[in-house]
Amino acid sequence: DRIMISPGPGSPADAGISNDVIRSFAGRLPILGVCLGHQCIYEVYGGTVDRSGEIVHGKTSQMQHDGRGVFAGIEGDFAGTRYHSLVGVPSTLPDVLEVTATVSGTDMIQGVRHKQLCVHGVQFHPESIVSDHGYKIV
């Protein structure tokens, strides 16, 4: 058993039960948040999600990652499809999270992992047919 907090419109404040699911099940079941789900993870643990400065819908960007967790077995940068205008603000990264992926050459956070629990988030959409390694990540 595991939980995926899916993409959706709006901000983490508008994400229905997603934030409560993260609070209730983190440490009990593995959790992966995608896009809005990733943003929920960022805010649940104390970070701030705000406008990214660009609106991207179906834009592919190169993702730089740490090769661990959901990125295990993926070598080098890869194409990830982005559909977002909000991101986790790097200066508010919660102490319990670590950055696992960024848009290559920037500090725009595209992945986080809880330091102690099996909780991962990705801002890009691995399930998109245009994203490389999506099946492996999910």
Side-chain angles (χ1 to χ4, degrees):
D1 290 345
R2 51 193 167 262
I3 297 171
M4 179 176 283
I5 308 291
S6 67
S11 68
D14 305 317
I17 65 168
S18 297
N19 296 315
D20 289 336
V21 167
I22 295 164
R23 287 185 196 99
S24 296
F25 290 98
R28 294 173 43 198
L29 290 172
I31 297 174
L32 173 63
V34 174
C35 197
L36 180 58
H38 161 84
Q39 295 167 11
C40 290
I41 290 167
Y42 205 83
E43 283 201 354
V44 161
Y45 290 108
T48 300
V49 172
D50 203 355
R51 289 183 170 82
S52 68
E54 63 180 325
I55 298 172
V56 291
H57 293 285
K59 178 182 178 184
T60 302
S61 298
Q62 289 298 302
M63 300 293 151
Q64 182 176 341
H65 62 92
D66 66 2
R68 298 175 27 222
V70 297
F71 301 110
I74 299 172
E75 294 186 25
D77 294 0
F78 66 91
T81 307
R82 298 167 52 206
Y83 293 87
H84 65 92
S85 59
L86 303 174
V87 295
V89 177
S91 63
T92 69
L93 179 70
D95 289 340
V96 298
L97 299 179
E98 57 189 350
V99 174
T100 59
T102 59
V103 172
S104 295
T106 76
D107 68 348
M108 185 178 290
I109 298 171
Q110 294 292 302
V112 294
R113 173 177 47 246
H114 195 285
K115 292 179 180 177
Q116 297 173 326
L117 305 175
C118 189
V119 176
H120 300 262
V122 292
Q123 179 63 64
F124 65 95
H125 284 252
E127 78 283 4
S128 169
I129 194 167
V130 188
S131 290
D132 295 336
H133 308 294
Y135 188 76
K136 188 179 282 190
I137 292 167
V138 172

